[in-house]
């Protein structure tokens, strides 16, 4: 071959694109900024992690999707042929009483809160057709479900004895002021009337 | 003149000059200014304000006013519509629907990792690196109907697009290519015919390095372990069962990635590809090898 860069030496290699990747795998190119150098303690492998719930949290946000029944249908509203043909509305339902993935107290609270919204068979139904894509509508339904669960998980903190005492004192003070005002007004009205003469 | 000679000369001068007195010294120029008295012949009468006009009446014209003609500061309008446009990067879009079409019509081979070179080779997408185009922006049109398991590398992708690809068991990576590398990728044959050594890919600029280092955006510089966690989080957010890619038969192909300094799959920086003689020339010199591996 004619002109070669003056410092490179020729190394004839039969390089066929098909076999190339397999040849190079064992001695693949690694630069100074390769992932091995950037993350030396990592396995650098893509995996499917299994979920481990946090023991401190009552509800971690994890929803097992195989326990939910999801149906798709056509959305309502304007849009012509597109809105008629594409099933972007998402209908998500599950039996609330049999949902063992929700902690028991939260489940009971939810049944209490949404008892009027459950169907005859006891299904909680969440629907969404807010966006133009099925993907986002499904995400919306799941968000709504998580919000419902988190609202049911909220427990009001009981006020401390000091706070209770403070509230009681406030009530008493208000009563005292009210009665004092009442007495003042009574006195004012009495002074405007003719004096009651008491014959001793 | 040496310093000793200077001192000698000064002393000689000092002996011959007259004695220093108030009569032969004066202040430094500009140190004393004459105070203007507003009384008497010179300071009185009009008190430095002249005759009539805005000067005497303290009714001055605004700064920049040029007695009616279009003033200098208004002659050139300020219309900053394209200010800094040459600093902004553009990512010409291609939708998931188009990618699906390319796959269905066999213009793209999904048994191999897909990158910008394969998409440009299909003929249905083009970009111009000299016009500040920095790569592919994968848009979410066709996100509901996408059904292909691919290992794709783009330059910009939104969360929904990432979710759609991962739902089908695929892998998406966002990677940065500097303009020179993009020219190479757009037309590799032309570059190989030029006989130059393959250069190293440069690292992303400061304002976008965070994008390419974060696992949320599937950056090529992010930790794959964190990416796995993000995959799981996204599956919970968008409501799909995360497919087990470790048990997939194409797992090695799906996990195949280019090194951050690599431009072409299977070709290292520093190599010279000779298409005519169908061979590759590799550098042997230590300095060169060190440079291309840095």
């Amino acid at each position: 071959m004619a002109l070669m860069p003056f410092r490179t030496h020729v190394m004839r290699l039969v390089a066929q694109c098909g076999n190339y990747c397999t040849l190079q795998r064992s001695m693949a190119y690694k630069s100074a900024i390769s992932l091995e150098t950037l993350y030396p303690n990592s396995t650098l492998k893509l995996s499917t992690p299994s979920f481990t719930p946090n023991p401190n949290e009552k509800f971690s946000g994890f929803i097992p999707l195989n326990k939910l029944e999801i149906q798709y249908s056509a959305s309502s509203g304007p849009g012509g042929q597109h809105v008629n043909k594409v099933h972007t509305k998402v209908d998500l339902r599950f039996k609330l009483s049999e949902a063992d993935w929700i902690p028991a107290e939260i489940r009971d609270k939810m049944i209490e809160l949404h008892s009027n919204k459950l169907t005859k068979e006891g299904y909680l139904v969440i629907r969404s057709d807010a966006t133009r894509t099925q993907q986002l509508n499904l995400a919306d339904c799941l968000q709504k479900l998580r919000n419902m669960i988190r609202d049911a998980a909220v427990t009001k903190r009981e006020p401390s004895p000091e706070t209770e005492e403070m509230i009681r004192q406030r009530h008493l003070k208000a009563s005292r002021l009210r009665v004092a005002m009442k007495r003042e007004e009574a006195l004012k009205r009495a002074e405007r009337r003719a004096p009651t003469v008491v014959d001793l | 003149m040496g310093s000793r000679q200077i001192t000698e000369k000064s002393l000689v001068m000092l002996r011959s000059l007259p004695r220093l007195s108030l009569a032969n010294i004066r202040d430094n120029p500009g140190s004393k200014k004459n105070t203007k008295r507003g009384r008497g012949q010179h300071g009185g009468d009009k008190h430095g304000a002249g005759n009539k006009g805005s000067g005497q009446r303290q009714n001055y014209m605004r700064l920049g006013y040029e007695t009616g003609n279009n003033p200098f500061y208004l002659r050139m309008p300020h219309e900053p519509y394209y200010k800094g446009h040459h600093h902004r990067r553009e990512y010409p879009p291609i939708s998931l629907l188009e990618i699906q079409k390319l796959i269905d019509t066999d213009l793209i081979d999904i048994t191999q990792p897909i990158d910008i070179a394969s998409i440009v080779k299909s003929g249905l997408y083009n970009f111009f690196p000299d016009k500040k185009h920095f790569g592919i922006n994968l848009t979410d049109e066709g996100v509901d109907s996408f059904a292909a398991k691919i290992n794709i590398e783009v330059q910009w992708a939104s969360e929904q697009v990432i979710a759609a690809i991962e739902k089908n068991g695929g892998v998406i990576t966002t990677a940065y290519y500097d303009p020179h590398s993009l020219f190479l990728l757009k037309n590799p044959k032309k570059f190989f015919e030029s006989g130059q050594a393959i250069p190293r890919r440069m690292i992303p600029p400061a304002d976008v390095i965070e994008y390419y280092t974060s696992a949320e955006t599937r950056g090529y510089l992010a930790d794959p372990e964190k990416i796995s966690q993000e995959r799981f989080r996204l599956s919970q957010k968008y409501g799909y069962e995360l497919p087990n890619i470790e048990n997939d038969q194409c797992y090695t192909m799906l996990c195949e990635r280019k090194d951050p300094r690599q431009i072409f799959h299977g070709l290292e920086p520093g190599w010279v590809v000779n298409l005519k003689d169908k061979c590759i020339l590799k550098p042997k010199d230590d300095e060169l090898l060190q440079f291309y591996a840095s």
Side-chain angles (χ1 to χ4, degrees):
Chain A
M1 50 241 78
L3 306 152
M4 264 187 282
F6 72 99
R7 276 213 270 204
T8 56
H9 298 258
V10 176
M11 200 171 114
R12 283 203 178 251
L13 229 193
V14 177
Q16 282 156 354
C17 289
N19 294 336
Y20 211 68
C21 295
T22 48
L23 259 176
Q24 292 301 306
R25 189 145 308 130
S26 51
M27 28 175 221
Y29 170 67
K30 294 276 168 267
S31 69
I33 53 165
S34 67
L35 288 178
E36 272 108 357
T37 339
L38 295 175
Y39 306 106
N41 300 326
S42 170
T43 54
L44 303 176
K45 282 197 183 301
L46 278 177
S47 57
T48 318
S50 59
F51 175 71
T52 45
N54 190 347
N56 294 337
E57 282 181 350
K58 283 179 272 182
F59 176 63
S60 55
F62 175 76
I63 297 174
L65 293 146
N66 49 4
K67 303 262 172 71
L68 305 172
E69 287 164 47
I70 300 170
Q71 282 157 18
Y72 305 113
S73 58
S75 292
S76 62
Q81 201 174 59
H82 189 267
V83 77
N84 295 339
K85 290 172 92 167
V86 171
H87 293 340
T88 50
K89 182 170 180 174
V90 170
D91 185 293
L92 190 152
R93 54 182 71 204
F94 64 101
K95 221 166 190 175
L96 189 49
S97 49
E98 290 172 12
D100 47 359
W101 48 276
I102 309 176
E105 322 91 59
I106 299 173
R107 201 187 323 146
D108 295 333
K109 189 74 196 288
M110 276 183 82
I111 294 169
E112 193 193 305
L113 282 172
H114 306 293
S115 56
N116 291 337
K117 296 188 198 103
L118 300 177
T119 66
K120 196 163 71 176
E121 287 89 32
Y123 280 88
L124 180 64
V125 181
I126 301 170
R127 286 190 205 101
S128 175
D129 65 348
T131 71
R132 297 188 69 205
T133 49
Q134 197 184 75
Q135 188 193 50
L136 281 180
N137 285 339
L138 181 52
D140 187 33
C141 281
L142 289 169
Q143 184 64 47
K144 283 183 186 170
L145 177 55
R146 287 197 178 99
N147 286 345
M148 275 185 184
I149 297 172
R150 290 227 157 86
D151 288 340
V154 161
T155 45
K156 267 196 173 161
R157 255 193 327 175
E158 273 183 24
S160 64
E162 288 90 1
T163 320
E164 284 193 15
E165 178 59 28
M166 209 164 71
I167 292 166
R168 195 183 77 89
Q169 290 296 335
R170 278 191 205 148
H171 283 311
L172 290 172
K173 184 179 177 183
S175 307
R176 258 185 278 127
L177 286 171
R178 181 175 47 81
V179 170
M181 289 277 291
K182 195 175 176 185
R183 296 282 174 267
E184 275 181 36
E185 297 232 333
L187 191 68
K188 220 184 348 177
R189 270 180 268 125
E191 281 171 357
R192 287 179 191 157
R193 291 188 209 108
T196 51
V197 174
V198 178
D199 193 9
L200 288 162
Chain B
M1 261 216 265
S3 59
R4 194 161 146 269
Q5 284 156 326
I6 294 168
T7 44
E8 290 284 321
K9 192 163 179 180
S10 321
L11 286 168
V12 161
M13 273 170 76
L14 211 59
R15 278 181 212 119
S16 58
L17 283 171
R19 185 179 288 180
L20 202 70
S21 71
L22 279 174
N24 52 20
I25 57 169
R26 61 165 91 132
D27 291 320
N28 275 326
S31 62
K32 290 267 162 73
K33 215 172 163 190
N34 291 328
T35 45
K36 243 161 100 170
R37 290 179 70 237
R39 303 283 178 269
Q41 181 190 8
H42 303 290
D45 193 6
K46 285 175 271 299
H47 296 267
N51 269 319
K52 302 183 187 184
S54 60
Q56 195 173 41
R57 294 172 180 148
Q58 268 83 48
N59 179 23
Y60 303 106
M61 289 179 258
R62 66 170 184 275
L63 186 66
Y65 184 65
E66 288 176 22
T67 63
N69 62 284
N70 201 17
F72 175 79
Y73 76 97
L74 286 180
R75 278 175 186 269
M76 277 73 73
H78 178 58
E79 288 172 356
Y81 310 124
Y82 298 104
K83 186 173 181 172
H85 75 283
H86 56 292
H87 294 311
R88 289 191 223 287
R89 286 176 294 272
E90 288 174 36
Y91 300 94
I94 184 170
S95 63
L96 272 174
L97 192 65
E98 286 191 37
I99 301 277
Q100 183 68 64
K101 275 191 222 168
L102 290 172
I103 293 166
D104 292 339
T105 51
D106 283 334
L107 286 166
I108 275 183
D109 181 16
I110 57 168
T111 58
Q112 294 296 322
I114 302 170
D115 70 343
I116 189 168
S118 355
I119 294 174
V120 168
K121 193 176 155 203
S122 73
L124 263 73
Y125 176 82
N126 207 356
F127 73 108
F128 305 96
D130 51 336
K131 293 186 185 165
K132 305 181 292 279
H133 293 173
F134 274 72
I136 292 175
N137 169 19
L138 201 50
T139 53
D140 55 3
E141 185 182 356
V143 74
D144 288 336
S145 59
F146 190 75
K149 187 168 66 180
I150 52 171
N151 174 5
I152 190 163
E153 189 192 64
V154 290
Q155 279 65 55
W156 202 270
S158 66
E159 204 181 53
Q160 294 159 58
V161 162
I162 296 169
I165 291 174
E166 291 181 349
K167 181 176 178 179
N168 290 299
V171 170
I172 177 166
T173 316
T174 47
Y176 175 80
Y177 289 88
D178 54 291
H180 185 53
S181 310
L182 284 170
F183 276 113
L184 268 63
L185 270 176
K186 191 174 141 140
N187 201 343
K189 186 161 177 245
K190 184 173 162 192
F191 170 71
F192 295 145
E193 281 167 1
S194 72
Q196 292 171 59
I198 297 171
R200 304 171 306 163
R201 202 202 315 177
M202 291 294 121
I203 58 169
D207 55 346
V208 86
I209 197 160
E210 212 182 298
Y211 182 88
Y212 291 111
T213 341
S214 79
E216 281 162 6
T217 49
R218 306 294 185 274
Y220 71 124
L221 298 170
D223 188 359
E225 271 182 3
K226 292 213 175 75
I227 288 178
S228 308
Q229 298 290 333
E230 283 297 320
R231 280 168 56 92
F232 179 70
R233 186 187 76 89
L234 216 62
S235 74
Q236 275 292 298
K237 180 170 175 179
Y238 286 98
Y240 56 89
E241 295 270 2
L242 191 61
N244 222 321
I245 51 159
E246 301 112 293
N247 304 336
D248 200 309
Q249 54 182 348
C250 305
Y251 181 58
T252 34
M253 188 281 286
L254 290 172
C255 288
E256 213 171 296
R257 271 186 185 222
K258 291 184 204 171
D259 185 272
R261 285 281 197 206
Q262 212 177 358
I263 300 175
F264 302 104
H265 272 294
L267 298 175
E268 292 180 22
W271 290 0
V272 178
V273 174
N274 189 337
L275 289 173
K276 192 154 181 250
D277 300 324
K278 293 201 171 56
C279 68
I280 292 177
L281 315 176
K282 300 182 187 180
K284 270 190 164 177
D285 191 66
D286 285 326
E287 211 178 306
L288 277 177
L289 288 169
Q290 215 175 29
F291 170 73
Y292 284 117
S294 63

